[in-house]
Amino acid sequence: MRKLIDLLPYEETIQCVQCGYCLPACPTYLTMGTETHSPRGRINLVKMAAEGHLSISDLENPIELCLGCRACETACPSGVQYGKILEGAKEAIYKNKSENISNIKKTAQDALFMKLFPNSQKWTTIADLLWLYQTSGLQKVAHKGNLTKVLPENLSVFEGVMPNVTSPLARRKRPTLFPAVNSEKPIYKVAFFTGCIMDALFEKINRLSMELLSRAGCEVHVIQEQTCCGALHAHAGRKDDSVTLAKKNIEVFESIEVDFIVNNAGGCGALLIEYDHLLAEQGDEWTNRAKAFVKKTKDISQILFDCKVSLNQPVNATVTYQRSCHMTNVQKVTEEPVALLKQIPGIVYKEMENPHMCCGSAGIYNVVNYKESMEVLDEKMIMAKKTDATIVVTTNPGCLLQMKLGVQREGLNEKVRVVHLVELLAAAAGLGE
Amino acid sequence: MEYRKIDGEILGKLKELISDSKRLLTNRQDLASYSYDASFGIYYPEIVIQPNTTQEVSSVVKLANQYHIPVYPRGQATSLSGGPLPVEGGIVLDLSKMDKTLDIIPEDLVAIVTPGVLTENIHKEAEKVGLMYPPDPSSSAVSTIGGNLAENSGGPRGLKYGVTKDYVLGLEVVTPKGEIIQTGGRTVKNVTGYDLTKLIIGSEGTLGIITKAILQLIPKPVTTGTAMAVFDEIIASGEAISKVLTSGICPSKMEIMDQACIQAVEDYQPSGLPVNADAIVLIEVDGHPSAVKAELAQIKEICKQVGAIDVQVARSKSDEAVLWKARKLVSPAITRIKPTKISEDATVPRSKIPEMFKRLKIIREKYDLDLVVFGHAGDGNLHPNIVADKRDKEEMKRVEQAVAEIFEAAIDLGGTLSGEHGIGTMKAPFMSMEFKGVELEMMKLIKDSWDPKNIMNPGKIFPYPGQRFVLEG
Ligand SMILES: Cc1cc2nc3c(=O)[nH]c(=O)nc-3n(C[C@H](O)[C@H](O)[C@H](O)COP(=O)(O)OP(=O)(O)OC[C@H]3O[C@@H](n4cnc5c(N)ncnc54)[C@H](O)[C@@H]3O)c2cc1C
Ligand code: SF4
Ligand code: SF4
């Protein structure tokens, strides 16, 4: 077996010259205020652990409190690959912990990651239950009895920002093919990547995405067998699990000949386009298949922009855009969403100060590290409020929930609406609710 | 003399001084995170303290002086000379959290700042009211004004406007004994007594801790214009620099980048630089639009005469910004070549720039190293940087020899060891190369009278007996 220390990406850490250019870009350096919680600090700690001066458990706290937003990677002129350093450190921490963790706890975690996330059937069940809870009056009962307050704060606050989920019937009736509208020959033939959380909680947005793409002249295929992208696993240090999921997705999407594989979740998209890195140690055949997959992976904004989707219904509002960090720093998709927004008639587009700063959602960070996450969110809300926007646009489900939470915390529910980019574009394209 | 270690008793006293325990860092991860700067060497402090007020700084220093504990002031640790490294352990005082005061007083052309304020934020705030704070180190977006004052940092605009020390009217300083003193004042003219302000600036935190500064601002020039002169021979670029500077024009910036630097920047962020050139010189002029236009035309003419193969004038503000951003990225970007960077800032009289280029070329060939050159060509402050791999012991030996030879060359040409990065630990062994008489002794006398117990940033500037230059860790 490889020693844990060998899992630490030492080569990547020595690329860092400790210039500090990344410090101002790091949200946790801003909110926590110590070098230990800065990119330069974290890289140094991983390096010291790899050299044997610190133990792997010394890394736990600083690495777990990293948002993984990778703003530092974009800021670094020396080309330090922070993403690799972070995932390597997480893998070592995870394996180190599992050697010590009790068996029961481990089974519970394994079940969560390998049974729930990849299983669309289970997600559908959850979504159905949620729908029942929201529509049956149970939610009201729960609120009256303060039932939701019984949950720890970090879980109960999210109850208030949960979207109304699609009914089971509508969900099951969703077609698997959306033909291209208004064009004889489709501009592109695309496969839609639904994502697990996205499809359970935000089925409506997925549905609108498919309809928008078809409106834009694409033929949209929805493959049932697809699975979770594996991002949450990778961020938790469970690299082996994410490799399994990646292989499954590659296989599934090979079953159909398409121009692009389109997703609408910044976080998922970021892992999808890194499948080639993820599978780099799986032999040439897998690497090549992963490369082919990566080449086809696109964010929905890229395709809609490319196809010149028509946006002619006015939206009279001041709008700001909270970027998905993974879309900015990993996928490097930054211009298309803004360009699309600016095309909508009636919109006053206002950029936030420090627009690239993370909102603190970061996968399941906001649940696991609730306090730290809220500190980042509060900074973000200061900048969001300064724009006087009444609509905040996001491009990732986690950011969408987090920004809703931000609005709720500021008591702005009446004034400010948080939406996914697709929802606003759909309205502007005249697609009904 | 041995320093006292921070034991339970001292820790207890420190906790009384800093009530908020979150601002006293003692765990292993935290200590490891304050053990380095942007140069070489790893030294663990025994504790890191993040003071918020001058009073807290003063009380901590008083305690340290009483019990004989070393104190290391630190900004954001971007020092390239080892300035904030806690070489004797003790206390690291992280001053970057004292960043709350940044007051611009337009009618006095003055800014009042606390030491943790980032240099770039002073630039931004001054510009909002049509003023300018000229010192512009490349690290402005990260470095603190406290660090800039302590190192007397400079940048491209140094050519026309001078460096940090030229823009300081007064300081509040906590002395090594913990007293709070005010130096200078708020007026441009001030000859009352010794100029302690200038003594503190550039003292690298060895004479006291700066807790507030009154900075001088100037009206922001109406506009700027930038030209890029391209050369297929770096020595010709040196001649162009001298020629421009004797033509009656005073550019606001004049920066050189050699081929390897151009390539490294283009690899990070394509900026439209000519990757095949041997060197480029970026020249900025500022002032009234018509003067800027005329001067750029004249500069173009001069550069062509001495052999520039191409001279391009930036057409828009955004083109200009791209060029200057590229310049700022050089220093970190060159580590794409190899991971270990040894940055020097030996400075020579302007007329000796072509000669210095020749010597550097010889040194590069003699030691067979990746030696790249960029820097503030206009004021003779070059940045010869060697990129190497510190795991290659044999290569590092050659680097050590080459560094010594770079210093010899600079001093031989009438120059100095450091133009702006400071001495710290890195250049201390070379001090006797520049000071042959009792100069160093006079400096030591000042240090001893300010800080008789030698608790303030000990181990810097003055070499200890027999200290040699070694690159490790
Ligand atoms: C990529 C890069 C580019 C750079 N470019 C330039 C450049 O163009 N020009 C230039 O001049 N420098 C440059 N530097 C060097 C460095 O940025 C400067 O020396 C800067 O002033 C250091 O600021 P800091 O806040 O990081 O201070 P630190 O590195 O933390 O400290 C520097 C010194 O100041 C002392 N100090 C810090 N704060 C105080 C205080 N409040 N009171 C007393 N002493 C204090 C410390 O003890 C130490 O000796 C560069 C560095 C890097 C990494
Ligand atoms: S990660 Fe990059 S930007 Fe940050 S300190 Fe290291 S080299 Fe500099
Ligand atoms: S990934 Fe984000 S939170 Fe983590 S170190 Fe980089 S900038 Fe900071």
Side-chain angles (χ1 to χ4, degrees), chain A residues 13 15-23 35 39-41 43 72-73 75-82 85, chain B residues 36 332 335:
Chain A
T13 62
Q15 288 293 328
C16 170
V17 286
Q18 306 185 325
C19 67
Y21 274 34
C22 52
L23 295 179
E35 181 83 20
R40 181 173 65 172
I43 294 166
C72 47
E73 206 170 305
C76 173
S78 302
V80 174
Q81 293 177 288
Y82 183 78
I85 296 174
Chain B
Y36 54 79
T335 56

Side-chain angles (χ1 to χ4, degrees), chain A residues 11 14-15 17-21 23-24 29 33-36 40-41 44-45 48 54 58 74-79, chain B residues 28-30 32-34 36-38 42 44 50 74 76-78 97 138 141-142 268 328 332-333 335-336 339 391:
Chain A
E11 283 297 317
I14 60 166
Q15 288 293 328
V17 286
Q18 306 185 325
C19 67
Y21 274 34
L23 295 179
Y29 182 62
T34 66
E35 181 83 20
T36 324
R40 181 173 65 172
N44 173 65
L45 291 172
M48 284 187 153
L54 293 172
D58 286 332
T74 301
C76 173
S78 302
Chain B
R28 214 163 14 167
Q29 298 96 309
D30 288 323
S33 300
Y34 289 80
Y36 54 79
D37 66 1
I42 290 174
Y44 278 64
Q50 301 184 303
R74 180 187 187 273
Q76 293 247 70
T78 64
K97 301 295 155 286
S138 298
V142 212
Y268 170 56
K328 278 200 167 148
T335 56
R336 290 176 171 252
R391 290 165 298 180

Side-chain angles (χ1 to χ4, degrees), chain A residues 99-154:
Chain A
E99 281 173 11
N100 305 316
I101 209 168
S102 80
N103 264 339
I104 304 178
K105 234 173 142 185
K106 200 168 158 189
T107 328
Q109 280 189 9
D110 285 348
L112 179 68
F113 274 104
M114 280 327 273
K115 300 244 162 63
L116 175 60
F117 288 121
N119 192 323
S120 58
Q121 209 61 52
K122 290 229 167 66
W123 275 106
T124 313
T125 316
I126 289 183
D128 292 353
L129 287 174
L130 199 55
W131 176 80
L132 197 66
Y133 175 70
Q134 288 173 338
T135 51
S136 64
L138 249 180
Q139 188 168 27
K140 285 201 186 99
V141 176
H143 279 231
K144 274 221 179 91
N146 262 343
L147 242 177
T148 51
K149 297 274 151 54
V150 181
L151 291 170
E153 188 190 352
N154 59 348

Side-chain angles (χ1 to χ4, degrees), chain A residues 155-296:
Chain A
L155 288 178
S156 65
V157 293
F158 290 99
E159 211 257 344
V161 296
M162 278 297 158
N164 289 333
V165 302
T166 313
S167 79
L169 195 65
R171 180 185 294 277
R172 260 139 232 161
K173 271 177 29 195
R174 186 173 75 196
T176 54
L177 174 71
F178 292 75
V181 175
N182 303 337
S183 64
E184 279 161 30
K185 196 177 154 290
I187 309 179
Y188 297 123
K189 190 173 157 191
V190 305
F192 193 79
F193 184 85
T194 54
C196 50
I197 298 185
M198 202 61 210
D199 217 33
L201 299 183
F202 299 105
E203 196 278 337
K204 212 180 282 166
I205 296 174
N206 269 357
R207 175 88 183 224
L208 284 175
S209 300
M210 295 162 196
E211 288 172 6
L212 250 182
L213 283 166
S214 103
R215 211 33 112 74
C218 298
E219 179 179 301
V220 187
H221 295 258
V222 189
I223 308 176
Q224 299 295 339
E225 294 75 21
Q226 59 181 300
T227 185
C228 165
C229 65
L232 292 177
H233 307 72
H235 302 328
R238 309 173 70 105
K239 186 175 171 188
D240 301 342
D241 295 348
S242 37
V243 167
T244 310
L245 296 171
K247 286 183 176 168
K248 168 99 203 259
N249 275 326
I250 291 171
E251 230 155 36
V252 167
F253 281 92
E254 277 168 352
S255 72
I256 174 171
E257 188 58 46
V258 289
D259 301 309
F260 298 111
I261 301 165
V262 184
N263 72 84
N264 63 3
C268 301
L271 191 76
L272 297 179
I273 68 154
E274 287 198 327
Y275 270 4
D276 51 345
H277 296 291
L278 187 65
L279 299 188
E281 289 159 14
Q282 305 291 321
D284 284 351
E285 193 212 318
W286 273 114
T287 322
N288 288 335
R289 289 168 77 180
K291 278 193 180 135
F293 181 93
V294 166
K295 243 175 120 178
K296 289 185 180 175

Side-chain angles (χ1 to χ4, degrees), chain B residues 304-448:
Chain B
K304 284 241 160 110
Q305 273 167 24
V306 293
I309 50 173
D310 187 20
V311 183
Q312 295 168 20
V313 173
R315 292 223 180 82
S316 64
K317 281 283 150 214
S318 61
D319 285 0
E320 238 190 309
V322 168
L323 290 176
W324 289 109
K325 170 112 192 276
R327 165 63 188 86
K328 278 200 167 148
L329 294 172
V330 172
S331 172
I334 51 175
T335 56
R336 290 176 171 252
I337 308 169
K338 276 183 180 175
T340 311
K341 182 174 70 122
I342 299 90
S343 311
E344 295 307 339
D345 65 329
T347 303
V348 295
R350 291 175 227 242
S351 62
K352 295 289 193 284
I353 294 171
E355 178 62 21
M356 190 64 185
F357 282 148
K358 280 187 206 151
R359 302 256 187 130
L360 290 171
K361 208 168 182 170
I362 295 169
I363 295 171
R364 171 171 50 211
E365 277 154 21
K366 179 168 167 193
Y367 294 103
D368 188 22
L369 290 166
D370 287 297
L371 193 167
V372 308
V373 187
F374 63 95
H376 319 305
D379 57 19
N381 183 188
L382 297 177
H383 290 311
N385 271 245
I386 302 174
V387 282
D389 189 332
K390 67 180 168 201
R391 290 165 298 180
D392 184 343
K393 295 269 179 294
E394 186 273 330
E395 184 179 33
M396 293 311 279
K397 279 275 157 272
R398 280 184 281 134
V399 174
E400 286 166 10
Q401 291 164 336
V403 167
E405 225 162 283
I406 292 173
F407 291 144
E408 274 162 23
I411 289 171
D412 189 40
L413 294 174
T416 179
L417 293 177
S418 175
E420 58 185 22
H421 296 164
I423 301 303
T425 55
M426 294 278 288
K427 297 195 194 77
F430 299 104
M431 286 295 265
S432 58
M433 205 186 248
E434 185 159 337
F435 298 120
K436 305 228 160 50
V438 294
E439 297 89 348
L440 200 57
E441 234 169 85
M442 295 304 289
M443 292 184 198
K444 191 80 178 59
L445 281 176
I446 296 174
K447 167 74 176 165
D448 289 345

